[in-house]
Amino acid sequence: MLSDWNLWIDLSDSFFNTASTAVVRLNEALGLAEEAVSAVLPADNIGTLTLSITSKDIEDHNENRRKLVFFCNGIHYEVNELIDNPFSLRMSDAAEAAYALNPKDIKVTTGHILFFPVRTSLMDLVSSTIDNEALKNDFVQKCKSLDQDKPSADLIDCIKEAYFWKDQYEIADRVKDMTAKTITDEVRSQWPNMTPDEREQVLTAYAIEVGAVYSDYYASGLAALFPGLFGSSLVSEFTCDSEYLGESNGDGHIAINPDFRDNPVGNYSLDKVLDTINHETRHEFQAAAKNDPDKYRAPQSLIDDWSQPYIPSTSDFDAYYRQDVERDARGFAAATLN
């Protein structure tokens, strides 16, 4: 039985929205408590108040919330990789092989000449035993007709989709490996102390490298023989001027919120900006796949899903959150970081 990962989308929604609201209220409560402490401390004849919770405790809680969001967003990629996709590939391979079953291609050894076996096709072997010429012709014609059988359009699309997702898992693994090599422990330790310009340089190089992973994977000709040599990337421009967490328009330009560069704490942490860049680069890939399905080996069913009218978050957040392009971008980005 194939998995149903809608539950993980519901959990992600809960951690992203409901738990986020709870964190905001915790911060509001802490602010009120701090005001109370400030009011009591000058009046030393009343007593003293101390707070057992700090803003860092709440931020640690919020960081765990973000990690749970990443986990839920990536789980359907992981489940598909381990269960759904291998199953689909095995089924598609079996179906494809069944259409190639032709008695003329099945050969058996019927003797030897010196040390060399004599192999005869199953069709010739069976037809040679049929004495009636009409029956023999009928048998041969039916065997030949098997060569003309073609998989249905639906089956072809299913096979194409199974291999498409296999490609995506491999790309996610490559992005994950690249991230580990680029965003090292040293970079992480220095991140709070870097200047905004230094952070932007790191993030710009990282975004272009994520786009290059896609380009290298689908490269052909000399570019395929020498990955990285030609500097091709789905991301051609990177800026820190978005009023949202991040955005992309399918034109090679992605943008992130300047707080990721200028004030990298809380919801603008290093891990969150990596997730945002991978998410927005995924949108660039979606646009590229829609423009050139053959190059990216994208099945029509997926192109149809990704071509639905886009629902902005400011219009209907729940519909925005659940649309195919956003579910794919969130899941892929999380799979590259988990």
Side-chain angles (χ1 to χ4, degrees), residues 1-289:
M1 183 177 70
L2 295 184
S3 60
D4 179 2
W5 46 262
N6 284 317
L7 172 62
W8 295 102
I9 296 296
D10 291 337
L11 287 172
S12 177
D13 187 15
S14 177
F15 287 127
F16 185 82
N17 293 308
T18 308
S20 179
T21 301
V23 170
V24 171
R25 290 175 178 170
L26 284 173
N27 278 307
E28 292 173 351
L30 180 63
L32 293 173
E34 288 173 340
E35 290 179 11
V37 170
S38 298
V40 168
L41 287 179
D44 54 11
N45 61 327
I46 295 178
T48 61
L49 289 177
T50 58
L51 297 178
S52 60
I53 299 296
T54 67
S55 59
K56 184 180 183 306
D57 293 327
I58 296 176
E59 176 51 33
D60 289 343
H61 171 65
N62 197 30
E63 181 62 26
N64 288 331
R65 176 192 67 84
R66 285 195 294 269
K67 288 179 180 178
L68 287 171
V69 172
F70 291 167
F71 173 73
C72 291
N73 285 346
I75 197 65
H76 74 269
Y77 267 75
E78 299 297 334
V79 169
N80 282 346
E81 182 175 6
L82 297 173
I83 301 172
D84 295 354
N85 191 61
F87 173 82
S88 298
L89 284 173
R90 287 195 300 271
M91 293 301 294
S92 64
D93 287 343
E96 193 174 26
Y99 277 96
L101 185 61
N102 179 359
K104 192 168 185 178
D105 297 330
I106 302 173
K107 297 187 177 182
V108 296
T109 300
T110 56
H112 289 82
I113 299 179
L114 296 177
F115 300 104
F116 302 99
V118 175
R119 299 176 62 79
T120 306
S121 73
L122 183 61
M123 186 178 79
D124 291 339
L125 189 62
V126 174
S127 64
S128 67
T129 65
I130 303 175
D131 295 330
N132 186 289
E133 199 65 29
L135 292 176
K136 179 184 292 189
N137 289 336
D138 179 65
F139 172 79
V140 170
Q141 289 305 313
K142 286 179 178 176
C143 286
K144 288 182 177 179
S145 70
L146 292 175
D147 272 341
Q148 299 172 9
D149 284 354
K150 301 293 182 184
S152 67
D154 288 343
L155 177 59
I156 291 174
D157 206 47
C158 287
I159 293 172
K160 195 172 183 180
E161 185 166 347
Y163 280 99
F164 173 84
W165 288 114
K166 178 177 178 292
D167 289 342
Q168 304 318 300
Y169 305 138
E170 293 180 1
I171 292 171
D173 284 342
R174 293 187 184 189
V175 173
K176 187 185 298 185
D177 291 341
M178 182 276 294
T179 300
K181 293 176 182 177
T182 305
I183 310 300
T184 62
D185 290 341
E186 182 180 4
V187 171
R188 288 182 177 278
S189 65
Q190 294 177 352
W191 195 251
N193 303 319
M194 287 184 182
T195 66
D197 286 344
E198 288 173 336
R199 294 192 196 103
E200 184 167 353
Q201 289 176 7
V202 172
L203 296 177
T204 299
Y206 177 79
I208 292 174
E209 188 64 28
V210 174
V213 172
Y214 285 97
S215 297
D216 289 344
Y217 190 88
Y218 289 102
S220 58
L222 288 176
L225 294 175
F226 304 99
L229 182 63
F230 296 90
S232 179
S233 173
L234 289 183
V235 178
S236 56
E237 185 180 19
F238 176 86
T239 58
C240 298
D241 56 3
S242 174
E243 61 180 305
Y244 308 105
L245 282 177
E247 58 186 307
S248 63
N249 295 315
D251 58 358
H253 171 223
I254 67 173
I256 61 170
N257 194 290
D259 279 341
F260 282 122
R261 173 195 62 196
D262 302 333
N263 189 30
V265 296
N267 288 326
Y268 299 98
S269 66
L270 176 56
D271 282 326
K272 183 57 182 175
V273 73
L274 298 179
D275 173 73
T276 301
I277 290 172
N278 293 356
H279 179 113
E280 298 305 333
T281 306
R282 184 65 178 181
H283 285 319
E284 290 298 315
F285 170 72
Q286 292 167 350

